[in-house]
Amino acid sequence: MMTKTTSTFDRIMADPKQKGAFEKEYAIFLQSEMKLQKALADGESSAEQSGWLSAADVRKKIQSTF
């Protein structure tokens, strides 16, 4: 008979102290991801306005081929 093992994530979520620390770190991670996305979007619009060949141009070309 196989026993069901508890995942590491489930063990962390079961411990209130570790769960709080995880949630705090995850919130910081999400904030940094949002800042990064905004910076990338701002950079792409700036590159488009100035006519530079940039990641924005490459991304558009790739997306238009699909």
Side-chain angles (χ1 to χ4, degrees):
M1 178 177 186
M2 291 183 67
T3 58
K4 186 174 182 180
T5 59
T6 304
S7 71
T8 302
F9 181 78
D10 290 336
R11 284 194 303 268
I12 289 171
M13 291 296 118
D15 180 352
K17 186 176 180 181
Q18 287 184 328
K19 181 179 179 182
F22 171 83
E23 289 174 343
K24 181 179 177 182
E25 285 297 319
Y26 189 67
I28 292 169
F29 166 76
L30 287 178
Q31 288 176 340
S32 66
E33 283 294 306
M34 287 188 286
K35 287 179 184 178
L36 176 60
Q37 289 298 321
K38 183 179 181 325
L40 289 172
D42 291 347
E44 286 182 6
S45 65
S46 174
E48 289 173 356
Q49 291 170 359
S50 62
W52 293 351
L53 179 62
S54 67
D57 299 321
V58 174
R59 185 175 297 120
K60 282 182 182 178
K61 288 178 184 176
I62 291 172
Q63 289 174 344
S64 67
T65 61
F66 291 110

